[in-house]
Amino acid sequence: MQEPLLGAEGRDYDTFPEKPPPSPGERTRVGVLQNRRVFLATFAAVLGNFSFGYALVYTSPVIPALEHSSDPNLSLTKTQASWFGSVFTLGAAAGGLSAMVLNDLLGRKLSIMFSAVPSAAGYALMAGAHGLWMLLLGRMLTGFAGGLTAACIPVYVSEIAPPSVRGALGATPQLMAVFGSLSLYALGLLLPWRWLAVAGEGPVLIMVLLLSCMPNSPRFLLSKGRDTEALQALAWLRGADADTHWEFEQIQDTVRRQSSHLSWAEARDPHMYRPIAIALLMRFLQQLTGITPILVYLQSIFDSTSVLLPPKDDAAIVGAVRLLSVLIAALTMDLAGRKVLLFVSAAGMFAANLTLGLYVHFGPKSLAPNSTLGLDHAALAGTEQPLTTPTSYLTLVPLLATMLFIMGYAMGWGPITWLLMSEILPLRARGVASGLCVLASWLTAFALTKSFLLVTAPFFFFAAMCLVNLAFTGCCVPETKGRSLEQIESFFRSGRRSFLH
């Protein structure tokens, strides 16, 4: 006689389950436990982004301090200050170029660990600097490390993260970079500039120690024919109770189909060049919003305008707002979607840049403008700007506008550009293409940062580029929320313009 089905348990049949279905809170808790090793590996990697964010804005409090240095070998002129601020981006561009080779030669994890060497050397040079050349060389070395990690870390994180949390984890590189910048602004209130460089060594050492215990990317290991190591790495990341065979076979199939090197003929195929072009343009347009020069010269910008609070305090407040905004973006990215946040981000940055431009041209001048920043010369010909006192409420405009700009950038074009770069680039071209993206980004950043102190109307230009970003998002950027890397790649291969059928 056939056994009764009542109470039978199986994969597809469970008439009277013994346990009720888990509540949303229980599912969240289980997901956190299953992904805790992914979170740990991500944290170890993004410490490199912390160091990158710290090094990027190192000049914000240091340039004003060196302008008034009693040591003639360290006292900065306007031109020297522009080089000190911008040479970081040249190093970052070189780091992006090296990532094109190291990403696929050493792997994502070892490339991130290698970045600790130039980073530690650069901080040591700046901490013990006795001349301008040591400052510039140290700045370039930390920039090289930043460019290398900027290309490697997003790829590593996207390749180890499951689709359910990839959006949130994809925001962590930007989040940690922002936290690094905020830490620099906060320490700048307490420490002299040499000790700021010494403090930068700590996160670099911790990153190397933690990453030495983490696995390599399963996709990278499979691409090198190390299948057993790849399966072990995936099993470690997903946890002992997770069934990784289906995911492993899916990744293995993708790697097998793309195991050969990319040829120039294949690079002309739309499914290859289209995602690469989108990623390159996004990194280019990201810099044209003005984010890098504004961060690098943040305290100098406040020094050159009448502000209600001391410029150091204003810079720290902006850093805190930036951190809060990235946290919000990380929590909403997988709910609201990438494109919605990109639209909101570009609109906010446009309003902020337009406000800053109008204030610089028509607002009150500072009673003691900073000698390195030419913004006080940006008034229209024949237009006299009234002097103001620090107690005027009008002096809140630069702070509020900068907060709006940073908030807009940090909620969209900051983290999502990095995330989309790691999501849409084809696996076969991911190492080279991510390096190209970083190279294009930092060469653009160098041009903007070097010229920022010398031009008369930068904020109006940045506002115009934010409008271009709005149009580009609507026309060219796909929505990748909730899609696996294999689904995204299939989308570009099919030639569709949307995931919707």
Side-chain angles (χ1 to χ4, degrees), residues 92-93 96-97 100 147 150-151 275-284 286-287 417 420-422 424-425 429-444:
L97 272 178
M100 295 168 61
I276 294 174
I278 290 174
L280 275 170
L281 285 171
M282 286 196 73
R283 293 304 299 269
F284 179 66
Q286 179 195 51
Q287 290 295 339
T417 303
L420 277 173
M421 182 186 80
S422 62
I424 68 176
L425 289 178
R430 192 165 291 165
V432 173
S434 61
L436 279 175
C437 288
V438 173
L439 175 65
S441 174
W442 290 114
L443 287 179
T444 307

Side-chain angles (χ1 to χ4, degrees), residues 42-124:
T42 299
F43 173 75
V46 297
L47 282 172
N49 290 105
F50 179 97
S51 182
F52 161 72
Y54 188 97
L56 174 64
V57 301
Y58 177 75
T59 53
S60 179
V62 174
I63 285 179
L66 292 180
E67 286 169 359
H68 304 99
S69 174
S70 58
D71 187 346
N73 294 323
L74 294 175
S75 182
L76 297 181
T77 65
K78 183 175 180 178
T79 301
Q80 290 171 337
S82 71
W83 276 109
F84 186 45
S86 62
V87 74
F88 178 93
T89 58
L90 283 182
L97 272 178
S98 69
M100 295 168 61
V101 177
L102 295 177
N103 230 349
D104 292 327
L105 181 65
L106 299 179
R108 290 56 157 144
K109 188 188 86 166
L110 289 180
S111 297
I112 299 168
M113 295 177 68
F114 173 76
S115 71
V117 177
S119 182
Y123 282 126

Side-chain angles (χ1 to χ4, degrees), residues 114-317:
F114 173 76
S115 71
V117 177
S119 182
Y123 282 126
L125 278 170
M126 290 188 289
H130 297 293
L132 180 63
W133 72 270
M134 295 181 73
L135 290 173
L136 295 180
L137 180 57
R139 186 93 172 117
M140 180 171 282
L141 285 173
T142 54
F144 179 90
L148 180 58
T149 56
C152 298
I153 292 175
V155 176
Y156 178 75
V157 172
S158 71
E159 289 184 348
I160 66 172
S164 59
V165 295
R166 198 179 62 244
L169 293 184
T172 55
Q174 178 70 11
L175 176 64
M176 288 298 284
V178 170
F179 188 52
S181 297
L182 175 60
S183 300
L184 186 282
Y185 293 138
L187 289 175
L189 300 173
L190 306 172
L191 300 178
W193 64 271
R194 290 186 187 275
W195 282 102
L196 288 176
V198 174
E201 301 274 10
V204 177
L205 298 177
I206 296 173
M207 178 194 73
V208 173
L209 291 175
L210 288 179
L211 270 181
S212 62
C213 303
M214 298 299 117
N216 228 317
S217 159
R219 282 177 174 80
F220 168 75
L221 293 172
L222 280 171
S223 70
K224 297 300 181 182
R226 296 152 64 180
D227 293 21
T228 303
E229 291 180 59
L231 182 58
Q232 291 173 347
L234 187 63
W236 187 90
L237 289 165
R238 300 296 181 261
D241 298 330
D243 183 7
T244 59
H245 291 287
W246 179 84
E247 184 180 2
F248 180 78
E249 290 174 1
Q250 188 181 34
I251 297 172
Q252 193 175 39
D253 180 63
T254 302
V255 172
R256 188 183 299 113
R257 285 189 286 106
Q258 301 186 346
S259 58
S260 60
H261 292 291
L262 185 67
S263 66
W264 283 110
E266 291 174 308
R268 293 195 295 268
D269 193 306
H271 87 269
M272 281 290 178
Y273 74 71
R274 189 176 159 211
I276 294 174
I278 290 174
L280 275 170
L281 285 171
M282 286 196 73
R283 293 304 299 269
F284 179 66
L285 291 172
Q286 179 195 51
Q287 290 295 339
L288 290 179
T289 63
I291 183 61
T292 299
I294 289 176
L295 290 177
V296 167
Y297 302 119
L298 186 58
Q299 188 172 320
S300 296
I301 291 173
F302 290 135
D303 276 338
S304 69
T305 56
S306 294
V307 285
L308 195 61
L309 298 173
K312 280 188 176 182
D313 294 347
D314 287 326
I317 290 171

Side-chain angles (χ1 to χ4, degrees), residues 456-469:
T456 58
F459 296 113
F460 289 136
F461 172 76
F462 297 151
M465 295 314 302
C466 290
L467 294 179
V468 176
N469 288 12

